[in-house]
Amino acid sequence: AVISWLLAGTVCLLSSFSYMELSARLPTKGSCYVFSYHALGELAGIVGAVCLTLEYGISGSGIARSWSAKLADGIGIHPFVCYNGAEWGKGCDGDDDYYLDPIAAGITLLCTAVVAGGMDMGKLVVNAFTVAKISLVAFMTVGGFSCW
């Protein structure tokens, strides 16, 4: 596991170096599709944008499904629709992919609305999560010292 972490860290470092070099040569705002567009043309820029959009969509859906499963386990209700005809827990559970997940769809739509809301909405959400994280760390620190 240590070797894989070191290898992944090295790859991330090399990727950051390449972005640093590209941003020094092309001082424009953007991501891989902007650099691809300027270096290789419009088709490469479109392919890069499509690949990046698919990457964000797939990773976001996986995270939404994970959050949905944790929320459903926490409240004890599984509002999932099994499309293989089985009932939840009997031939259809979280380990199989035989269900539609309306909670994950709602989480995805909520995140999409935040992004579509623009920078002001995004800053508000990020600041709210930051305050929540700092409050949690402070609570755990005080709780830890009080039980010590």
Side-chain angles (χ1 to χ4, degrees), residues 83-142:
Y83 56 82
N84 65 348
E87 293 181 19
W88 184 258
K90 300 175 185 172
C92 178
D93 58 13
D95 294 333
D96 298 325
D97 290 328
Y98 298 130
Y99 65 95
L100 299 175
D101 196 343
I103 297 175
I107 291 170
T108 303
L109 288 174
L110 182 66
C111 291
T112 304
V114 168
V115 170
M119 193 67 99
D120 291 334
M121 175 69 80
K123 285 194 302 189
L124 182 69
V125 170
V126 167
N127 289 340
F129 274 105
T130 302
V131 167
K133 288 189 286 186
I134 290 172
S135 300
L136 181 64
V137 167
F139 172 76
M140 293 182 76
T141 303
V142 169

